Every structure is written in structure tokens, then in C-alpha cells.
């Protein structure tokens, strides 16, 4: 109830505005209309604008908020603040304007959490993964998004009703079957199969997985699933569109570096497990073999490529299948380096992005987007224990797609985490449908690095991997120290 004294400038402004409003109200309709036209007139020639009603330049009845005055003369109109936005899986969403569309996309994402009551993992006795399986669940969500993009595209969403989703043979039902927690190849991405693949990495049930280990588990299971689908199609057991299309091929980059020649070798092979076969040799090696063959045809003479240039244009063979590239990284020593925030935000703006697996220390999440300022990162948290699905007694081996189970794989409230507080260990994932898509990814990464020098690059992209198996004996002789004989003092015995 205290009386607040107002500055004289404000009181004068209010009195002037009040008198101007009375003058406007007393004016005729034609005069008011003429003033409205003059108020929004932006022509340089102001002499053509006339009004019989004189109003202060800072007042308009349709905009009652007073403008700020500078030196009591100059009128400053505040510019509208730029609307903030977010990047989610390669698309940009403006706040408030695109909230409805963004919520629809987030609620359509597959959400895999802790489960209880599933078939016992032999011989360890686990019937729930609560407390230790969060990284595997985050990996399932990443893999489900990659499968969604691969088979249906980024714009696909589940059917609006549970009855349509439950339709036998639908993609939605196939995904829920693949990730149901049962042993067996029909549930190829179940927790049981992930544990089996993790045993090859010396990871046992109850142990926490890192992003790098989870990436290799994804690669192993995708290879097994692809082999199973190929055999089923060859035997005529299935003839649906999903099985005939097949899967993508998973490549895990090592040491924070992507070698393009290694990807080419992997993607041009007919079998994902025959990387070292002769058909997957490097293009450079193929060229050297061609040169050796020419030299042998010329009677043993040395073939000089400078004197005999090869006029043929090397055509790269097309990729057999699309690519899922996973890049495990550590962006910081003990904690996340905040200088990478804008780089992570740019990662979510790429059309090839299918999210990353990471999270807080000892708490894994699957992240699918970030705010434009790099402050927040959005993800799905698997730390909710839900009941495991059951098999349908009416259909042998099929998963019962109950309403409760279908509702449990979608999250109504995604997590929002401060990006600077996430764990430095994470793994990025990219889906590239062909070679051109991979090249576009490389171009976008290079363009961002040139435009934003303050943000460090997340990983390196180089053309060729170094050859660590080369014979360096000749270089060792060239770097000899002389004619000095080695003495016993130079020899070491390793125990």
C-alpha cells in the first residue's frame, strides 16, 4: 500500500498518451482510419501522409504499450527477440511454434527401460536388469531409431490406435518382437542376446557397459540378424518386404577417427565378416596390382606410371547395404569438456544423426536432441522398472502385444539434462543410406569446423588408415648409428 513516486518523464508520457487517446476517440471513423494508415506508412515521402488528428508519435491505440524514449525525443522500438529452437534427430523445432509437432515426434520414439520378470538368464539367475542394464537399454533405443529410419524413414510414426499397431506383420509389431526380452533369434535384440554378445567382450551380467562396449554388441547382433534374414529368404521361409530389404552394416570407428577407406572396404564386401578377403582390398592396392600386371605383360620391364598414365577412370562399386556408423568418444578427462557443447548440438542438426548413447556418470541415457544454445540435451531415461512382455498362447512363439506393453515403450516425459554435466564417455551414431550420404556428412562436419573455430571437432575424418604392418627394415638400416658394435650395456632382459 506504499505510494510510489513516478519520474516526471513517465507522468508526462501518461498525460500525453491520455490526451491523445481522448482526441482519437473523439475523431470520426474516417479520421481514425486515416491515422491507422499513416501510423504504418513506411514510405520515405512522408509529405503524402496527412491526418487531421494530431497524435504523439509514440502512441497508438492498437498498441497501448508505451515505447521507450531516448532523450525525450528519439523513439526506440524494441525488436522482437529471436525465438529459441532445438535440434532433434536432424530437424529444427522452434519453441512454442513447433511444440505440438515436437511432442508428437518425441512420443513416437521407442523407449526401452528396465524390465522385471523376464526369462531367467542362465546360468546367472537374473530375471531383471534393474541397476546395471541401462547402457544396453540405451543401445536398444539407438538401434530402434536406426531400424526405423532404415525401413520406414524419418517421417514414419506408429499408427494412432493399438489395434492397427497390433496388426500381424506390421513394422511396429516386428520391432517390439525384436526387442522383447526372450532368448532366441526371433528376439534378436533382446537383453538375453545382448548379454550373450557381451560375453565375447568379457562382460558379464550385472556389470556396467560403456558406450564402446555397447557399440560392439550392436555390431555383433546386427551381423547375426542379417545372416538370419538372408537364410530365411533363401529358404523361402519369409518373403516380406522387411526381410528382403535386409539390414544395414555397422562400422565402429576406433580412437576417435573415421577412416574412409576402411568404410569403403567394409561396405563393398558381399559379406560383413569377410573384411580381409580379396574383394575388399583397398583401391590403392588394386591400382598397384594393376601396375604389376602391366609390368609382367611387358616382359619384366619396370612400369612407370608417369610415362604411361592410366587413362581409365576408376569407378567405385556401389554399396551393398546402408551404413550405421558408431563413433565412441571421450570428450574430457574426468568430466565433460564444455567446449564441445556446440559441436554436440551441431551433431543433432545433421540429417544422418540417430542420436548418441551416454548420460550422467553411471547412469546411461539415449540422447536424441539438444537446445540451440548448447545448454540442454534431451533424451530418454531407461531407469524405470516395467513388467516384461509375455508370449501369446494363441500364436506359437509370438509376443503378446498387449495395450499395456505397447504403452510402455513410449515415454510421455523425456529427460532434459544440462549438457555440461553429462559423462565424457559417449558414442555418436550416424545412418548413411549410400556413399553420397556419407560424403554429405563429411562435408557438413568440415563446414562446421571452418565456420566455428571456437568449437573443437568431435572426431577426425581421414581418407586412409595408417599401415602399421609395413616393412620398415629398410628405414631401420637408413637410420643406423654407424659402425659401433652393440655392447652388453645396451641389452635388456624382460622378466
Amino acid at each position: 500500500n506504499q505510494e510510489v513516486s513516478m519520474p516526471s518523464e513517465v507522468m508526462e508520457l501518461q498525460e500525453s498518451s491520455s490526451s491523445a487517446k481522448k482526441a482519437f476517440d473523439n475523431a470520426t471513423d474516417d479520421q481514425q482510419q486515416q491515422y491507422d494508415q499513416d501510423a504504418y506508412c513506411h514510405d520515405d515521402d512522408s509529405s503524402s501522409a496527412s491526418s487531421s488528428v494530431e497524435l504523439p508519435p509514440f502512441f497508438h491505440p492498437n498498441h497501448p504499450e508505451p515505447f521507450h524514449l531516448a532523450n525525450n525525443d528519439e523513439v526506440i522500438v524494441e525488436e522482437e527477440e529471436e525465438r529459441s529452437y532445438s535440434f532433434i534427430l536432424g530437424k529444427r523445432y522452434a519453441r512454442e511454434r513447433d511444440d505440438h509437432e515436437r511432442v508428437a515426434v518425441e512420443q513416437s520414439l521407442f523407449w526401452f527401460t528396465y524390465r522385471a520378470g523376464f526369462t531367467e538368464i542362465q546360468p546367472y539367475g537374473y530375471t531383471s536388469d534393474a541397476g546395471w542394464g541401462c547402457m544396453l537399454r540405451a543401445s536398444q533405443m539407438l538401434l530402434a531409431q536406426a531400424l526405423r529410419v532404415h525401413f520406414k524413414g524419418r517421417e514414419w510414426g506408429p499408427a494412432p490406435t493399438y489395434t492397427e499397431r497390433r496388426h500381424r506383420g506390421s513394422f511396429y509389431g516386428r520391432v517390439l518382437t525384436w526387442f522383447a526380452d526372450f532368448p532366441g533369434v526371433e528376439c534378436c535384440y533382446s537383453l538375453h542376446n545382448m548379454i550373450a554378445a557381451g560375453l565375447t567382450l568379457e562382460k558379464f551380467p550385472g556389470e556396467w557397459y560403456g558406450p564402446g562396449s555397447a557399440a560392439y554388441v550392436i555390431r555383433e547382433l546386427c551381423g547375426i540378424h542379417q545372416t538370419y534374414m538372408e537364410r530365411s529368404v533363401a529358404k523361402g521361409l519369409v518373403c516380406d518386404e522387411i526381410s528382403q530389404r535386409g539390414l544395414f552394416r555397422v562400422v565402429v570407428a576406433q580412437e576417435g577417427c573415421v577412416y574412409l577407406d576402411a568404410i569403403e572396404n567394409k561396405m563393398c564386401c558381399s559379406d560383413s565378416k569377410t573384411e580381409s578377403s580379396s574383394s575388399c582390398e583397398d583401391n590403392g592396392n588394386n591400382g598397384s596390382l594393376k601396375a604389376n600386371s602391366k609390368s609382367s605383360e611387358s616382359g619384366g620391364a619396370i612400369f612407370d606410371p608417369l610415362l604411361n598414365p592410366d587413362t581409365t577412370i576408376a569407378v567405385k562399386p556401389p554399396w551393398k547395404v546402408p551404413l550405421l556408423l558408431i563413433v565412441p568418444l571421450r570428450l574430457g578427462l574426468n568430466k565433460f569438456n564444455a567446449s564441445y557443447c556446440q559441436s554436440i548440438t551441431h551433431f543433432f542438426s545433421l540429417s544422418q544423426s540417430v542420436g548418441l548413447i551416454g548420460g550422467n556418470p553411471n547412469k546411461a541415457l539415449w540422447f536424441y536432441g539438444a537446445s540451440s544454445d548448447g545448454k540442454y540435451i534431451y533424451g530418454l531415461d531407461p531407469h524405470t522398472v516395467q513388467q516384461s512382455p509375455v508370449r501369446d498362447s494363441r500364436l506359437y512363439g509370438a509376443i503378446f502385444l498387449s495395450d499395456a506393453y505397447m504403452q510402455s515403450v513410449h515415454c510421455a516425459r523425456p529427460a532434459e539434462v544440462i549438457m555440461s554435466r553429462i559423462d565424457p564417455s559417449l558414442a555418436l551414431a550416424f545412418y548413411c543410406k549410400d556413399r553420397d550420404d556419407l560424403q554429405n556428412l563429411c562435408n557438413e562436419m568440415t563446414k562446421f569446423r571452418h565456420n566455428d573455430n571456437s568449437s573443437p571437432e568431435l572426431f577426425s575424418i581421414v581418407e586412409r588408415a595408417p599401415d602399421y604392418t609395413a616393412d620398415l627394415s629398410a628405414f631401420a638400416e637408413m637410420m643406423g648409428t654407424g659402425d659401433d658394435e652393440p655392447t652388453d650395456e645396451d641389452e635388456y632382459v624382460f622378466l
Side-chain angles (χ1 to χ4, degrees), residues 135 138-139 142 210-216 218 252-253 325-331 344 347-348 353-359 365-367 422-430 458-459:
M135 181 57 73
S139 303
L142 184 149
S213 302
Y216 288 107
I218 292 176
V252 181
L325 175 63
I326 305 179
V327 187
L329 300 171
R330 187 168 183 86
L331 305 179
I344 294 293
F347 158 74
F348 288 113
S353 171
V354 290
L356 66 88
I357 48 178
L365 291 85
W366 172 59
F367 294 109
I422 65 174
D423 193 89
S425 182
L426 48 86
L428 313 177
F430 305 89
L458 295 172
F459 54 89

Side-chain angles (χ1 to χ4, degrees), residues 95-108:
R95 191 176 64 180
E96 296 181 0
R97 186 186 66 190
D98 299 331
D99 280 351
H100 181 74
E101 181 181 359
R102 172 185 168 179
V103 169
V105 170
E106 290 176 327
Q107 292 182 355
S108 70

Side-chain angles (χ1 to χ4, degrees), residues 93 166 186 239 262 304 390 413-414 436-437:
Y93 297 89
R166 197 181 289 111
E186 69 277 0
C239 59
D304 190 349
V390 296
R413 283 190 161 187
D436 293 338
D437 205 13

Side-chain angles (χ1 to χ4, degrees), residues 27 85 116 153 235 333 350 485:
Y85 51 90
K235 294 179 180 179
L333 188 57
L350 300 172
E485 293 291 335

